[in-house]
């Protein structure tokens, strides 16, 4: 069976005259700073409506979970991906060894016809924490094989630096374990990571509320990737819109520059023109 023709990540890039404020990943420009997962939605129709409302830069899809051909999953999923007309970012979800992740990525490149890959190498099947000991090796192999790798990682600064050292032009640290919705559990580490690394950083996993997305964008993160927070909300379509708005607001606030915090109250109204009181 021929592979489906799906939109590539460059399909939604902006023109050369676009604002310099665009999200840039591996030299490609995107109009949105929100990425959406495609699993756990109540129905394909709800997923489609959520994507239309959020207008994400990319949608993620798992080869292992969706299967490598339409016969395994039904042609409807592939048809939906085509209908969305949004660049697809394949991932290696569920992989727990370097070889497994590399093989899955290579298969995904053939199926989805794209060199882009969200690299997931899981070290703990309870928290779904990345395998911090072997992630750099897997990323290095894929980079050398021509992939444009977006690695899912923890907020560990040294690990993220090593990923950049082997050629990753963007890194995807978690805010909290996948699916918890707790928001940033280690703000200090995440802010330190943003201050030290000069590549695009996409918060991947752990965000549960639009305010969480706004917060990390205010810190200077470049984008967020969401799935559970939207798919399992009471109204996924409305929530997709709320997150899209929050991402934009947080990014605009970061560019505007927030006032410095003060240790004491400061009057917001000047006292010019205050009348003098005469005491008898």
């Amino acid at each position: 069976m021929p592979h489906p023709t799906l939109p590539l990540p460059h399909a939604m890039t902006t023109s050369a005259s676009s604002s310099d404020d665009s999200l840039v990943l591996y030299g490609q420009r995107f109009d949105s700073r929100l990425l959406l997962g495609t699993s756990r939605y109540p129905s394909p129709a709800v997923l489609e409506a959520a994507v239309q409302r959020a207008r994400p830069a990319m949608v993620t899809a798992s080869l292992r979970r969706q299967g490598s051909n339409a016969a395994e999953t039904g042609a409807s999923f592939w048809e939906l991906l085509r209908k969305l007309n949004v660049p697809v970012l394949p991932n290696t979800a569920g992989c727990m060894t370097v070889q497994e992740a590399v093989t899955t990525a290579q298969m995904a490149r053939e199926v989805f016809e794209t060199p882009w890959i969200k690299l997931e190498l899981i070290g703990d099947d309870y928290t779904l924490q990345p395998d911090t000991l072997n992630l750099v090796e897997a990323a290095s192999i894929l980079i050398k094989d021509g992939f444009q790798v977006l690695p899912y990682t923890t907020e560990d600064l040294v690990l993220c630096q090593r990923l950049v050292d082997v050629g990753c032009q963007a890194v995807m640290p978690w805010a909290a374990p996948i699916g918890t919705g707790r928001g940033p559990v280690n703000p200090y580490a995440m802010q330190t990571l943003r201050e030290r690394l000069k590549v695009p950083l996409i918060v991947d996993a752990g965000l549960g509320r639009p305010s969480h997305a706004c917060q990390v964008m205010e810190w200077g993160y470049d984008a967020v990737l969401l799935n559970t927070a939207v798919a399992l909300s009471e109204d996924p379509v409305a929530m997709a819109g709320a997150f899209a708005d929050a991402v934009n607001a947080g990014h605009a606030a970061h560019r505007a520059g927030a006032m410095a915090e003060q240790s004491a109250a400061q009057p917001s109204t000047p006292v010019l023109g205050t009348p003098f009181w005469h005491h008898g």
Side-chain angles (χ1 to χ4, degrees):
M1 176 177 293
H3 297 317
T5 301
L6 299 171
L8 301 180
H10 57 72
M12 287 185 65
T13 57
T14 59
S15 66
S17 62
S18 298
S19 168
D20 290 339
D21 189 39
S22 300
L23 173 65
V24 179
L25 302 173
Y26 287 93
Q28 302 293 341
R29 294 182 180 273
F30 297 88
D31 293 324
S32 173
R33 292 177 179 272
L34 174 64
L35 290 74
L36 278 182
T38 55
S39 65
R40 308 187 72 181
Y41 286 82
S43 69
V46 172
L47 167 59
E48 180 182 357
V51 170
Q52 290 176 342
R53 175 62 181 84
R55 300 179 62 85
M58 290 186 271
V59 294
T60 63
S62 170
L63 180 67
R64 289 171 60 89
R65 290 175 181 168
Q66 303 298 342
S68 59
N69 58 64
E72 294 178 16
T73 63
S76 59
F77 179 74
W78 298 113
E79 181 58 34
L80 176 58
L81 288 182
R82 286 192 292 268
K83 186 177 180 181
L84 292 176
N85 195 33
V86 176
V88 175
L89 174 64
N91 65 45
T92 60
C95 294
M96 302 190 73
T97 68
V98 171
Q99 186 57 56
E100 191 178 19
V102 170
T103 300
T104 300
Q106 292 170 339
M107 293 174 61
R109 178 166 56 185
E110 296 299 318
V111 171
F112 293 99
E113 299 180 337
T114 175
W116 291 73
I117 195 73
K118 176 191 170 187
L119 173 60
E120 295 186 31
L121 182 61
I122 303 302
D124 179 71
D125 58 5
Y126 179 75
T127 62
L128 299 182
Q129 178 172 321
D131 182 345
T132 57
L133 297 178
N134 296 297
L135 183 61
V136 173
E137 177 187 354
S140 180
I141 293 172
L142 292 174
I143 290 287
K144 292 175 182 177
D145 193 23
F147 283 91
Q148 294 169 329
V149 180
L150 299 177
Y152 160 64
T153 179
T154 66
E155 75 279 19
D156 183 275
L157 173 62
V158 175
L159 173 58
C160 291
Q161 287 175 325
R162 297 295 179 267
L163 289 166
V164 174
D165 290 343
V166 299
C168 294
Q169 296 182 24
V171 179
M172 305 180 76
W174 70 358
I178 293 175
T180 61
R182 298 182 61 186
V185 296
N186 195 342
Y188 173 76
M190 292 191 69
Q191 290 178 75
T192 299
L193 186 62
R194 177 65 286 178
E195 292 168 2
R196 294 291 301 278
L197 291 189
K198 304 307 179 184
V199 300
L201 296 176
I202 303 172
V203 177
D204 177 20
L207 302 181
R209 301 175 183 275
S211 58
H212 297 156
C214 187
Q215 181 179 42
V216 299
M217 295 299 291
E218 287 177 352
W219 291 342
Y221 278 78
D222 297 275
V224 301
L225 192 157
L226 306 162
N227 193 157
T228 308
V230 173
L232 297 189
S233 65
E234 293 184 9
D235 186 341
V237 178
M239 189 61 75
F243 267 107
D245 293 342
V247 167
N248 290 336
H251 179 64
H254 174 71
R255 286 178 56 83
M259 63 166 281
E261 294 184 3
Q262 305 291 333
S263 58
Q266 302 288 331
S268 59
T269 303
V271 294
L272 296 176
T274 300
F276 292 97
W277 293 92
H278 298 281
H279 297 281

